[in-house]
Amino acid sequence: MRIRALLPLSGIAFVALTVIGLAVAGSSPSPDTPADEVVSFYRDNENRARTGIWFFAFAMPFLPLFASSLAALQRPEGQDSRVVWRRLLLVGAAIMSATLGVAITTQLALADSTKPEIAPEVMQALNVIASYVVYALLPATGTMMLGAAGWLLGRERVQGWLGWAALVLGIGLFVPFIGVLALILSLVWIIVASITLFRARAAGPMLAPAV
């Protein structure tokens, strides 16, 4: 089997590595945690934090690979205007990857800042940034999901409910109080979409012309 045929499964790899990274790194101090407690936490959990960072770093390239595979679906006849959604999908995935890069950088900085010469206030500031990175992920993921919805809706070979689910989740990611839940469900959507794309590609050619 060609490697290209396995690209849709990159979404599963992204979710799996991300979840493992979260499980390994564990919870982090809340934004209002005193500076001394932040230093103590990362001094005691430095190895866990570093290990989690590696899993996040390995996960990063799989997201754009998944988005590229989704964007490579062949366009239905007479739906060339939908190419704008394809571009929104790819841009959203790129922004999401960049945001994950910020999260990795802040966590790495925290793990490296437990030395005595680093002021506790610096650690506290980094911890605040790390705590709020998830809120930057919400609109980034929402952009990708809305692009996926516009690109998938109206297709016959890819089940229509996949596009509708992406639309609902994409909107939910921009709504306060339910954004984090929508983010979790979006990871589930990526797994389902990966399996659906893999099966659909195995059934026949579905690649779109390069745009």
Side-chain angles (χ1 to χ4, degrees), residues 181-203:
L181 175 60
L183 179 61
I184 296 172
L185 293 178
S186 295
L187 295 179
V188 177
W189 182 92
I190 290 175
I191 294 175
V192 176
S194 293
I195 297 173
T196 303
L197 288 174
F198 177 74
R199 290 179 174 176
R201 179 170 289 185

Side-chain angles (χ1 to χ4, degrees), residues 10-199:
S10 56
I12 297 177
F14 166 74
V15 175
L17 289 170
T18 299
V19 171
I20 293 173
L22 289 171
V24 170
S27 60
S28 57
S30 60
D32 57 353
T33 301
D36 291 340
E37 293 184 19
V38 173
V39 174
S40 177
F41 175 87
Y42 281 100
R43 185 173 293 142
D44 296 338
N45 297 276
E46 180 179 353
N47 290 334
R48 290 186 61 183
R50 289 183 181 276
T51 304
I53 289 169
W54 278 109
F55 280 103
F56 294 140
F58 288 138
M60 279 188 65
F62 289 104
L63 179 62
L65 283 174
F66 165 74
S68 298
S69 178
L70 183 60
L73 286 175
Q74 187 175 15
R75 294 189 300 272
E77 190 71 24
Q79 293 191 12
D80 288 355
S81 60
R82 287 182 179 269
V83 70
V84 65
W85 296 108
R86 176 180 184 267
R87 293 170 179 168
L88 185 64
L89 162 65
L90 294 173
V91 168
I95 297 174
M96 191 175 173
S97 294
T99 307
L100 287 173
V102 173
I104 291 172
T105 302
T106 54
Q107 288 295 326
L108 182 60
L110 283 165
D112 281 343
S113 298
T114 55
K115 301 175 183 178
E117 57 268 24
I118 304 297
E121 291 75 15
V122 174
M123 291 280 291
Q124 187 178 35
L126 287 171
N127 182 63
V128 172
I129 296 173
S131 299
Y132 285 103
V133 165
V134 64
Y135 296 104
L137 274 173
L138 299 181
T141 309
T143 301
M144 184 186 76
M145 295 299 287
L146 290 177
W151 186 239
L152 291 174
L153 286 174
R155 294 176 177 271
E156 296 180 359
R157 298 191 65 181
V158 177
Q159 298 183 26
W161 59 264
L162 202 59
W164 285 110
L167 178 62
V168 172
L169 291 172
I171 295 173
L173 283 158
F174 289 94
V175 178
F177 307 112
I178 67 170
V180 175
L181 175 60
L183 179 61
I184 296 172
L185 293 178
S186 295
L187 295 179
V188 177
W189 182 92
I190 290 175
I191 294 175
V192 176
S194 293
I195 297 173
T196 303
L197 288 174
F198 177 74
R199 290 179 174 176

